[in-house]
Amino acid sequence: MRSVDPMEGYRPPRRRSIMRRKEMPLWQELPLLLVVAFCLAVLIRTFLVQAFYIPSGSMQKTLELKDRVLVNKVVYDMRDPLRGEIVVFRGTDNWAPEVSEPVSDAFMSKLGRTIGDLVGVSRPGERDFIKRVIGLPGDKVACCDAQGRITVNGVAIDESYIAEGFNSDLSQPPIAGQCTSRRFAEITIPAGQMFVMGDHRAVSQDARCQGPVPIENIIGRAFVIVWPSDRFKSLDVPDVWKQFAQDHPTAAIGPAPPEPRRDPQVAMGLFPLLLSAALSARSGMSFVTRRRRLRA
């Protein structure tokens, strides 16, 4: 009687072969991960945070030419802007472009600007401005008191962030349509609008001569300088404005401002999508690493 081999007819499990067929070559996985990373950057730039390049000296010494700042694009979907905050916004038709550097029309330059704009690291457009919020709806803003300071609702503001020699001329009379003079007549900020000014008053073209800006035109709040690295710092609200807000609550007149530009739930709803994509990308990278180790 023939003995039966216990291994006769045994077939190894097919799981490993199935897993092997599902594996993607490295040259296919890397482009996929790059696409995922690019899509994440576009989503973050569109709904959450965007980097802006400073193209002019209107905010010196707070912001220098060629600085890059990060802008929070969802904060004003949750609350109103505060006096003293630095905001990026789209100017109205009354606002003249402020970009001071020439732009190359070469193909590669255009391509670089297009890609940079998609991921949020390009220079702002001609109608994008960055200024400091001085007055909110219902505020009465004027300049100047006996010491040459601006006043908000009759209260003089000690603007320590304006560097010596960077204020506009106090002796020059105001000229319609020009911001060369420090003096301007009192203006009551209409409902739904804000009064903004640059920190370099001698060169800034701002609400003094170009008028208030709709709050709905705000792109976001600049909250940190990220480049160059030696200038890294947060852009906090100055203490003088914090104290002013405590002593003088925001005035409000007329109808309520327009509804938020975006539904906050839309932005918040992106977090699961971003998290899922990030985890997928991380899993893909881990898988590539494991394969490399196994093949080594």
Side-chain angles (χ1 to χ4, degrees):
M1 182 175 178
R2 186 174 66 88
S3 61
V4 178
D5 186 353
M7 299 298 293
E8 184 177 351
Y10 173 76
R11 292 183 179 180
R14 300 178 61 189
R15 182 178 178 183
R16 181 169 298 179
S17 61
I18 295 175
M19 290 296 293
R20 185 178 296 111
R21 285 199 297 268
K22 288 184 178 180
E23 291 180 359
M24 294 175 61
L26 181 60
W27 64 270
Q28 290 181 348
E29 288 179 350
L30 284 180
L32 178 61
L33 294 176
L34 291 176
V35 169
V36 171
F38 181 80
C39 291
L40 282 172
V42 172
L43 287 174
I44 292 173
R45 179 258 187 216
T46 303
F47 295 99
L48 301 177
V49 177
Q50 182 175 355
F52 272 89
Y53 171 90
I54 305 302
S56 74
S58 67
M59 282 296 294
Q60 291 176 313
K61 292 282 194 175
T62 305
L63 299 175
E64 297 289 348
L65 186 67
K66 297 183 180 181
D67 279 354
R68 288 190 183 273
V69 299
L70 291 185
V71 173
N72 185 331
K73 303 184 74 171
V74 297
V75 60
Y76 297 131
D77 291 329
M78 313 298 177
R79 64 168 176 83
D80 295 329
L82 304 176
R83 304 181 194 90
E85 291 182 326
I86 298 174
V87 297
V88 174
F89 60 93
R90 295 182 183 88
T92 65
D93 293 339
N94 296 332
W95 283 64
E98 201 174 46
V99 177
S100 61
E101 292 187 342
V103 179
S104 174
D105 291 330
F107 172 76
M108 292 305 297
S109 296
K110 290 182 178 180
L111 178 62
R113 290 197 298 270
T114 300
I115 296 175
D117 183 64
L118 286 174
V119 299
V121 295
S122 65
R123 61 189 299 148
E126 289 187 348
R127 290 293 175 182
D128 294 341
F129 300 85
I130 183 165
K131 306 289 182 186
R132 190 181 299 276
V133 178
I134 302 297
L136 295 173
D139 285 342
K140 298 180 184 297
V141 183
C143 191
C144 305
D145 70 348
Q147 300 180 33
R149 300 172 296 182
I150 64 168
T151 62
V152 180
N153 301 331
V155 179
I157 307 298
D158 290 311
E159 298 178 282
S160 59
Y161 46 81
I162 298 181
E164 184 177 357
F166 280 64
N167 215 333
S168 46
D169 192 354
L170 185 60
S171 62
Q172 183 173 342
I175 302 175
Q178 297 184 21
C179 290
T180 52
S181 174
R182 191 185 313 185
R183 300 182 181 276
F184 59 91
E186 182 179 270
I187 176 175
T188 300
I189 314 305
Q193 300 197 25
M194 60 181 180
F195 192 92
V196 294
M197 300 175 71
D199 289 355
H200 192 340
R201 302 285 162 79
V203 301
S204 176
Q205 300 295 303
D206 48 44
R208 290 173 291 170
C209 56
Q210 303 190 102
V213 178
I215 291 177
E216 64 178 358
N217 282 21
I218 295 179
I219 296 173
R221 179 196 171 191
F223 65 95
V224 65
I225 301 174
V226 293
W227 190 261
S229 58
D230 60 349
R231 285 184 46 76
F232 181 89
K233 67 176 181 179
S234 60
L235 299 172
D236 299 325
V237 175
D239 291 338
V240 64
W241 289 113
K242 293 179 180 179
Q243 187 61 47
F244 183 92
Q246 293 178 7
D247 298 339
H248 308 276
T250 301
I253 62 170
E259 292 296 320
R261 292 157 289 136
R262 296 187 301 269
D263 184 352
Q265 297 300 323
V266 174
M268 297 303 294
L270 286 174
F271 282 103
L273 176 61
L274 294 174
L275 181 60
S276 175
L279 291 176
S280 298
R282 183 178 180 182
S283 299
M285 291 300 294
S286 299
F287 180 67
V288 171
T289 303
R290 289 197 301 269
R291 285 180 55 194
R292 288 177 176 173
R293 289 177 179 175
L294 290 173
R295 293 176 179 177

